[in-house]
Amino acid sequence: KVMFLELYQAAEIDKRTNYKYFKNKEDIVFEILNILIEEFNDELYTKLNKIDGIYKKLLVFFEFFYNNYEELKKIYKEFLVITLTIQNDEMKNFATKNKKIYYEILENILKEGVKKNELKKEAINYTKVLYNMAEGFFLENEVTYVNDNPQQEFQDELKLMYNLLKKDSK
């Protein structure tokens, strides 16, 4: 991980060295992102498997969007810039594959909530809505100062959504 982060930083300073190994900056960012995402996903699965309670699992699942994963966020921002400015099928396929993985993880959390009678059956239909809400929140916090306390504000928004999806206890 450190080697690739150093390569990324060096890409800004000494391009000749890095281009012995990579064709361009986009390839460096892509390789680093691959490695960091893999590590992040392993950590995410480990955390989720240790937690009881659907709301707590949702918080853990979404913590990337408001916590300080600075290394991953820096690379993710570069990735977004590249995919928004350069039509790169490999990166779009990578993003699509990963988004589907995250949709599946989130959907499984919601299904678990339904199975445990904690969430309404319809909660599963909100998989993409919840994910897109979190991703939008992340982007908002990266480009504005709208939220004074992003972590708390995200948790409050997630709690609102959770309460909408929670099964009535009657």
Side-chain angles (χ1 to χ4, degrees), residues 1-15 17-19 21-22 25 28-29 31-33 35-36 71 74-75:
K1 177 174 159 181
V2 172
M3 178 187 79
F4 285 103
L5 289 174
E6 289 171 356
L7 277 174
Y8 172 75
Q9 291 167 345
E12 300 295 328
I13 301 165
D14 185 6
K15 295 179 180 186
T17 302
N18 295 317
Y19 296 138
Y21 307 102
F22 300 97
K25 182 179 177 181
I28 295 169
V29 170
E31 185 61 31
I32 295 168
L33 189 62
I35 291 167
L36 291 177
E71 294 171 341
K74 185 174 182 179
I75 300 300

Side-chain angles (χ1 to χ4, degrees), residues 43-96:
E43 186 180 319
L44 177 62
Y45 285 120
T46 301
K47 284 181 180 180
L48 287 173
N49 287 329
K50 292 179 182 176
I51 295 174
D52 286 327
I54 300 307
Y55 180 70
K56 288 181 183 176
K57 284 189 179 202
L58 290 170
L59 280 174
V60 166
F61 177 79
F62 287 122
E63 76 181 345
F64 164 77
F65 293 108
Y66 61 81
N67 269 352
N68 295 320
Y69 288 93
E70 292 310 318
E71 294 171 341
L72 188 55
K73 281 183 179 180
K74 185 174 182 179
I75 300 300
Y76 184 63
K77 285 189 259 186
E78 284 288 332
F79 178 81
L80 287 175
V81 168
I82 292 166
T83 54
L84 290 172
T85 58
I86 299 171
Q87 290 299 314
N88 183 317
D89 287 338
E90 186 179 12
M91 286 192 170
K92 278 190 170 183
N93 289 333
F94 172 79
T96 301

Side-chain angles (χ1 to χ4, degrees), residues 3-169:
M3 178 187 79
F4 285 103
L5 289 174
E6 289 171 356
L7 277 174
Y8 172 75
Q9 291 167 345
E12 300 295 328
I13 301 165
D14 185 6
K15 295 179 180 186
R16 294 172 307 222
T17 302
N18 295 317
Y19 296 138
K20 289 180 185 177
Y21 307 102
F22 300 97
K23 289 187 294 188
N24 52 42
K25 182 179 177 181
E26 290 80 17
D27 287 352
I28 295 169
V29 170
F30 188 58
E31 185 61 31
I32 295 168
L33 189 62
N34 265 309
I35 291 167
L36 291 177
I37 288 287
E38 200 172 292
E39 290 175 2
F40 176 78
N41 288 349
D42 289 345
E43 186 180 319
L44 177 62
Y45 285 120
T46 301
K47 284 181 180 180
L48 287 173
N49 287 329
K50 292 179 182 176
I51 295 174
D52 286 327
I54 300 307
Y55 180 70
K56 288 181 183 176
K57 284 189 179 202
L58 290 170
L59 280 174
V60 166
F61 177 79
F62 287 122
E63 76 181 345
F64 164 77
F65 293 108
Y66 61 81
N67 269 352
N68 295 320
Y69 288 93
E70 292 310 318
E71 294 171 341
L72 188 55
K73 281 183 179 180
K74 185 174 182 179
I75 300 300
Y76 184 63
K77 285 189 259 186
E78 284 288 332
F79 178 81
L80 287 175
V81 168
I82 292 166
T83 54
L84 290 172
T85 58
I86 299 171
Q87 290 299 314
N88 183 317
D89 287 338
E90 186 179 12
M91 286 192 170
K92 278 190 170 183
N93 289 333
F94 172 79
T96 301
K97 179 189 90 175
N98 280 292
K99 191 162 253 196
K100 286 180 180 180
I101 289 169
Y102 294 131
Y103 285 162
E104 184 179 330
I105 294 169
L106 181 54
E107 184 176 56
N108 287 336
I109 293 169
L110 297 174
K111 283 180 179 178
E112 180 183 341
V114 170
K115 185 177 179 181
K116 289 182 174 181
N117 214 25
E118 191 173 325
L119 299 177
K120 300 172 187 173
K121 282 183 185 179
E122 301 81 34
I124 297 164
N125 299 332
Y126 286 82
T127 300
K128 289 182 180 180
V129 171
L130 285 169
Y131 186 88
N132 291 329
M133 175 194 82
E135 194 166 52
F137 187 87
F138 166 76
L139 292 172
E140 178 179 89
N141 283 308
E142 293 300 314
V143 299
T144 71
Y145 296 111
V146 171
N147 299 312
D148 295 326
N149 183 344
Q151 182 172 355
Q152 185 59 54
E153 292 185 39
F154 181 81
Q155 288 176 4
D156 292 346
E157 289 180 23
L158 183 60
K159 189 70 168 178
L160 285 171
M161 290 299 294
Y162 174 79
N163 286 333
L164 288 172
L165 303 175
K166 193 168 67 169
K167 196 162 192 172
D168 296 329
S169 54

